[in-house]
Amino acid sequence: MMALAYENLKLHTTPEKFYVEACDDGAEDVLAIDRVSTEVSLTGKKDIPPSAITRVIYGIFGTIRLVAGMYLIVITRRKKVGELLNHYIWKATDFDIISYKKTMLHLTDSQLQDNKVFLSMISHVLSIDGFYFSASYDLTHTLQRLSNTSPEFQEMSLLERADQRFVWNGHLLREFSAQPEVQKFAIPVIHGFIAIHSCLISGKYFDWILISRRSCFRAGVRYYVRGIDSEGHAANFVETEQIVHYNGNKASFIQTRGSIPFYWSQRPNLRYKPRPQISKAVNHMDGFQRHFDSQIISYGKQVALNLVNQKGSEKPLEQAFAKMVTNLGNGMIRYIAFDFHKECSRMRWDRLQILVNQVSEMQDDFGYFLVDCEGKVVTQQDGIFRSNCMDCLDRTNVIQSLLARRSLQAQLQRLGVLHVGQRIDEQLQFEKIYKNAWADNANACAKQYAGTGALKTDFTRTGKRTKWGLLMDGWNSLIRYYKNNFSDGFRQDAIDLFLGNYSVEEVYSSSPLHVQADLKFLALPIIMVVAFSMCIICLLMAGDTWTETLAYVLFWATASIGTGAIILYNGKDFVDAPKLVQKEKMD
């Protein structure tokens, strides 16, 4: 199949222009980007000056305006993930951000500093693992969506036909979107996770693929982006597709995850688990209905699996979700609440089968997508499981992996890979591949949203909960706590800048970055750690007298408790909050 975007590129740089040469067989196009006027146009290979500095690149990620002017972002390294239906799938592993300007002398010291911060934001987002692309396969669409398209759609460039929910460089490619003649130079990039494995069961080879596509609408970090926006876009929305390719037959099963779909927030305030707040100032049903209307159009019937706790601070969210589904009265939506932590307490993870059994008839009713070796659609998936917990990470991924396994069992039996009576969990080699891929998917989604690997992956990898797994969960929880409170403001700003939620104006005057950090903000983490550490040291190294030791312990314990009290009552004053997009716009 002919590539829908150029795959082999060379970047030729001169003081006046960037020339991007298409090096695919038979390609003659050269993209010229004027470094002064920023104009983008097509030219020929004869126009590339011999004096140009040349390097190989693997894609144009896009362009962005910062304080110093325009920047070109290119993919400089890639890693082959595998072949999906005979198309190469790549992970972008390194990038270069190149200034159009040849000097920074036009900037003041303050502007130079701001430009450096904005550059570090773009570099930060690019450093988050999980950017994938293909020059000949549309990674933004599911197999089922691709099967229901017109011949005209098939002739479109990848950028033009992409599902914009999942194009993470859509804002950066806006200059290319406006000019159809240059779109073959633009590669839509998704963010999430892809695993491609060639597998063997009973002497039969098949490809098993797992793709998670993160939405770029209402994107952000764990505590600063919750719930939905006014358009009904849910935070941390991820579409996960499991594909089987055997003897020309293709089967696909889709699930989604997304934040509880009404207006709520959970601002960090230095407490381990900030209390969720349901907004009292808005009409929840408008956004709630918009969310599910769009989900029904995209996926058909909806089963909302709500895995949050049904007591404590999570209880009001569960009750509100259930009430809104009832009030909406849409027969296409079913709601099921399953208190994951309660049901699986004391390591009773076998009880997850209760939920799987409860929804088994619905899953059979939804079915899966199947197209035979002649290209004929045999079955379609006409409904979907929309799972959530608080973060839509750890609990959600465990349940999704169990539902996907049940679908895969049916698919492999229908395709003849599994004999009657054979089960996936008896195929030890494939079982290991399956569990590790789903655990890797959990880690990727968690790092992208919460800043650390997922919790509960020991169960996903081994089918059992282990003490080592509990210990690792504790460590990841500590790292999450630190990042969520002391670095997530910067991470949220970086994502908002990258996706175009905040734009640097051509005439850059005032800076939103110049918010002076109070000394107490910088001192609090240090005071807390020192106080707690000294308290422990005093206990371990007793003084000359018991009275002296007790005095030291009481002093440092008081310091620890005092710091804790500050956290409890004024914690929100100490966290690293976003500066670029106003908080109320994200609630």
Side-chain angles (χ1 to χ4, degrees):
M1 180 180 173
M2 186 178 68
L4 298 171
Y6 291 125
E7 186 162 18
N8 302 295
L9 302 171
K10 285 182 181 176
L11 174 63
H12 308 276
T13 304
T14 71
E16 295 80 26
K17 290 184 179 182
F18 298 118
Y19 296 92
V20 182
E21 177 189 359
C23 300
D24 292 6
D25 291 342
E28 294 295 328
D29 286 344
V30 173
L31 182 75
I33 303 174
D34 192 298
R35 298 178 69 173
V36 179
S37 70
T38 74
E39 182 184 344
V40 176
S41 60
L42 281 183
T43 185
K45 295 188 179 185
K46 65 181 187 308
D47 295 324
I48 302 172
S51 59
I53 299 170
T54 301
R55 63 192 289 195
V56 173
I57 62 172
Y58 299 105
I60 297 176
F61 203 92
T63 62
I64 190 167
R65 178 177 298 281
L66 301 180
V67 183
M70 293 298 294
Y71 283 81
L72 174 68
I73 306 173
V74 295
I75 301 170
T76 57
R77 287 186 185 175
R78 64 183 183 182
K79 177 183 176 184
K80 184 180 174 183
V81 181
E83 291 185 35
L84 172 55
L85 309 181
N86 302 315
H87 299 276
Y88 290 136
I89 307 301
W90 304 95
K91 177 192 272 192
T93 57
D94 206 359
F95 308 85
D96 204 358
I97 309 169
I98 310 166
S99 175
Y100 284 32
K101 300 286 187 185
K102 298 178 283 294
T103 175
M104 299 290 165
L105 294 176
H106 61 295
L107 299 181
T108 66
D109 288 346
S110 175
Q111 289 174 330
L112 271 172
Q113 184 58 37
D114 285 355
N115 198 66
K116 185 177 178 181
V117 173
F118 286 134
L119 273 173
S120 69
M121 288 179 180
I122 299 300
S123 296
H124 169 76
V125 177
L126 293 172
S127 73
I128 302 171
D129 194 37
F131 288 107
Y132 298 89
F133 67 97
S134 172
S136 58
Y137 186 82
D138 188 347
L139 286 172
T140 68
H141 286 290
T142 64
L143 283 184
Q144 183 162 315
R145 286 200 295 270
L146 289 173
S147 75
N148 296 322
T149 56
S150 64
E152 292 76 24
F153 178 90
Q154 299 294 334
E155 294 300 316
M156 292 179 184
S157 69
L158 286 176
L159 181 60
E160 190 179 5
R161 66 189 240 172
D163 187 331
Q164 293 303 312
R165 293 179 298 168
F166 305 120
V167 182
W168 268 67
N169 58 337
H171 169 68
L172 303 176
L173 290 175
R174 64 202 179 284
E175 303 264 344
F176 296 81
S177 300
Q179 296 178 246
E181 70 274 12
V182 304
Q183 287 182 3
K184 286 190 75 173
F185 284 93
I187 290 275
V189 178
I190 70 165
H191 198 214
F193 176 77
I194 300 180
I196 300 174
H197 293 280
S198 185
C199 307
L200 176 66
I201 292 179
S202 303
K204 295 167 183 172
Y205 287 94
F206 64 95
D207 290 332
W208 178 78
I209 300 104
L210 188 64
I211 303 175
S212 279
R213 308 172 177 97
R214 296 188 70 222
S215 173
C216 59
F217 298 149
R218 194 155 176 78
V221 296
R222 186 187 184 201
Y223 281 147
Y224 284 114
V225 181
R226 296 292 211 193
I228 56 171
D229 62 18
S230 59
E231 300 298 315
H233 301 305
N236 198 25
F237 183 85
V238 182
E239 174 189 87
T240 299
E241 180 177 22
Q242 180 178 261
I243 298 171
V244 176
H245 185 207
Y246 174 65
N247 278 355
N249 301 283
K250 294 167 285 190
S252 161
F253 180 66
I254 309 293
Q255 299 181 76
T256 62
R257 66 177 76 182
S259 192
I260 297 174
F262 49 81
Y263 301 104
W264 63 283
S265 60
Q266 195 177 14
R267 296 287 174 200
N269 57 8
L270 297 187
R271 298 189 186 193
Y272 180 69
K273 280 186 72 174
R275 182 171 289 276
Q277 302 291 328
I278 299 174
S279 176
K280 296 186 176 77
V282 293
N283 181 348
H284 291 277
M285 291 305 295
D286 286 348
F288 188 81
Q289 181 165 352
R290 281 195 191 95
H291 174 76
F292 276 109
D293 284 349
S294 68
Q295 296 304 294
I296 290 167
I297 290 169
S298 296
Y299 304 107
K301 289 177 281 191
Q302 301 281 306
V303 173
L305 300 179
N306 190 357
L307 308 174
V308 303
N309 299 344
Q310 293 176 28
K311 64 177 184 179
S313 63
E314 297 180 13
K315 181 179 179 180
L317 296 173
E318 190 281 315
Q319 291 175 324
F321 198 170
K323 183 178 179 181
M324 287 184 206
V325 171
T326 301
N327 290 344
L328 193 60
N330 188 328
M332 296 283 282
I333 307 168
R334 292 194 62 175
Y335 175 82
I336 295 174
F338 181 83
D339 191 331
F340 188 110
H341 287 150
K342 178 186 175 185
E343 294 293 344
C344 300
S345 62
R346 298 193 295 278
M347 312 282 272
R348 298 175 302 169
W349 286 62
D350 57 297
R351 292 177 62 80
L352 292 173
Q353 196 60 38
I354 295 171
L355 177 60
V356 174
N357 293 341
Q358 185 180 353
V359 301
S360 60
E361 282 189 25
M362 299 173 214
Q363 186 170 5
D364 294 340
D365 179 49
F366 291 166
Y368 49 82
F369 176 73
L370 177 63
V371 59
D372 66 19
C373 56
E374 296 176 354
K376 179 185 175 185
V377 175
V378 181
T379 63
Q380 302 235 32
Q381 183 177 343
D382 63 2
I384 205 163
F385 290 107
R386 183 209 186 276
S387 302
N388 74 266
C389 45
M390 290 296 285
D391 300 324
C392 306
L393 296 175
D394 314 314
R395 290 173 275 187
T396 294
N397 197 80
V398 170
I399 291 300
Q400 285 194 336
S401 71
L402 296 178
L403 295 173
R405 177 201 298 275
R406 191 174 180 278
S407 179
L408 185 61
Q409 174 78 33
Q411 291 168 4
L412 293 180
Q413 282 181 340
R414 183 162 186 168
L415 294 173
V417 175
L418 289 175
H419 304 309
V420 177
Q422 267 190 314
R423 296 195 55 78
I424 290 176
D425 50 19
E426 296 166 352
Q427 316 305 315
L428 299 183
Q429 187 178 4
F430 176 74
E431 182 76 349
K432 184 177 180 181
I433 291 171
Y434 181 88
K435 287 178 175 177
N436 281 330
W438 271 98
D440 292 341
N441 178 66
N443 277 332
C445 292
K447 285 175 183 174
Q448 292 156 9
Y449 186 54
T452 73
L455 312 183
K456 305 175 179 68
T457 52
D458 56 326
F459 177 81
T460 310
R461 290 190 196 279
T462 66
K464 294 182 288 187
R465 201 72 167 103
T466 64
K467 290 181 179 177
W468 175 252
L470 287 170
L471 188 64
M472 289 307 298
D473 284 358
W475 173 252
N476 277 329
S477 295
L478 271 175
I479 300 299
R480 279 187 190 181
Y481 172 81
Y482 178 84
K483 287 190 172 185
N484 296 162
N485 284 283
F486 301 115
S487 66
D488 269 4
F490 175 86
R491 290 176 63 220
Q492 184 64 51
D493 283 338
I495 292 169
D496 283 329
L497 177 65
F498 190 87
L499 295 177
N501 300 329
Y502 174 85
S503 296
V504 177
E505 298 298 328
E506 190 166 350
V507 179
Y508 186 78
S509 51
S510 61
S511 169
L513 299 173
H514 296 162
V515 178
Q516 193 66 36
D518 198 311
L519 285 177
K520 65 183 181 181
F521 170 79
L522 302 173
L524 181 71
I526 300 170
I527 294 171
M528 190 175 182
V529 171
V530 169
F532 184 72
S533 301
M534 291 301 295
C535 186
I536 299 299
I537 290 169
C538 290
L539 285 170
L540 295 175
M541 301 175 63
D544 295 335
T545 66
W546 173 246
T547 307
E548 186 178 332
T549 301
L550 183 62
Y552 276 122
V553 170
L554 286 173
F555 174 79
W556 290 110
T558 302
S560 298
I561 293 167
T563 309
I566 293 171
I567 289 172
L568 288 174
Y569 291 102
N570 300 294
K572 65 181 184 297
D573 296 333
F574 295 91
V575 299
D576 176 34
K579 301 181 179 72
L580 300 185
V581 177
Q582 293 297 311
K583 292 179 184 179
E584 58 267 24
K585 289 184 182 178
M586 292 188 286
D587 280 339

